[in-house]
Amino acid sequence: MDDMHCIYLVGGNERSILKFDLETNRWEKLHIFLKEARNHPNVFIVNKNIYVAFGEFSKKLVPTIEKGKITGKGELKIIGKDDKNKRICSGIIVRPNNAFLVGGMDEKFKPLDTCVNMDLRTGKTMASSNKIDEPAFFGQGLLAEIGDDEFGNFSLTENNVFLTMNFGSK
């Protein structure tokens, strides 16, 4: 089965990553694992690379971003660190070369109205000028994907709450 039609379970008190195959209805423990254990990480997959950004462990936010091939072996590689913009429970908008972490909660577990733009090639992050209408966090995680040539307004929804961002043009 194509790995992109699976469900991935990442984080918790262990460093393991599990995959649920929708075709066989079975769980599989992958041969890759997190460098740092974390709860509530921001997770997404692009081009068969899994990205695990930030998270929380022992009531402190984890500032690192890890990346690895979902078909690989060994520890994921830390590709970035950001003590200023770390967050948990963000909505995620994935673009071909970057991802926006929208909202989430800060180190005091308060909802955020800011966004972080993460360059997927370098792991570098920067606060985005885009803000969401209201501070928000996404307890169950939320992932949206838009194509390279799509611009303009984009909305995220959870529990009938709409959050709108304007990405502008190229």
Side-chain angles (χ1 to χ4, degrees):
M1 165 166 260
D2 182 350
D3 286 320
M4 304 321 286
H5 294 98
C6 298
I7 298 170
Y8 293 87
L9 181 61
V10 179
N13 292 325
E14 293 186 22
R15 300 180 327 160
S16 60
I17 299 175
L18 303 174
K19 176 175 84 169
F20 183 76
D21 186 317
L22 296 169
E23 194 170 89
T24 64
N25 203 31
R26 292 183 184 205
W27 285 100
E28 172 189 352
K29 189 171 187 176
L30 297 183
H31 298 286
I32 56 174
F33 51 93
L34 300 171
K35 191 165 188 71
E36 299 179 299
R38 57 187 82 201
N39 298 300
H40 310 291
N42 302 291
V43 179
F44 54 95
I45 296 173
V46 177
N47 296 326
K48 297 201 177 210
N49 285 304
I50 189 164
Y51 294 82
V52 181
F54 311 126
E56 173 271 328
F57 193 74
S58 296
K59 298 185 180 181
K60 293 183 181 176
L61 294 192
V62 178
T64 56
I65 300 161
E66 299 184 31
K67 172 186 174 183
K69 288 279 185 198
I70 56 175
T71 56
K73 293 184 179 184
E75 278 186 340
L76 298 183
K77 179 182 174 188
I78 292 178
I79 61 166
K81 184 175 180 179
D82 187 341
D83 283 308
K84 185 177 177 185
N85 292 305
K86 58 191 174 188
R87 58 192 58 221
I88 59 171
C89 302
S90 296
I92 303 168
I93 300 172
V94 178
R95 305 284 321 279
N97 294 315
N98 64 338
F100 289 91
L101 303 181
V102 181
M105 291 189 286
D106 66 12
E107 62 277 348
K108 295 178 183 172
F109 303 101
K110 293 188 179 177
L112 299 167
D113 67 352
T114 59
C115 303
V116 174
N117 182 355
M118 180 171 41
D119 186 316
L120 300 180
R121 296 161 294 196
T122 65
K124 291 186 179 178
T125 57
M126 62 182 244
S128 172
S129 60
N130 298 318
K131 294 213 176 213
I132 56 177
D133 301 332
E134 296 287 331
F137 64 93
F138 302 90
Q140 295 147 347
L142 179 64
L143 173 64
E145 189 171 332
I146 56 177
D148 190 31
D149 57 351
E150 297 177 40
F151 290 92
N153 290 328
F154 186 81
S155 296
L156 295 173
T157 63
E158 181 175 292
N159 299 329
N160 298 319
V161 175
F162 293 88
L163 306 171
T164 303
M165 298 174 60
N166 186 333
F167 287 100
S169 60
K170 282 188 176 180

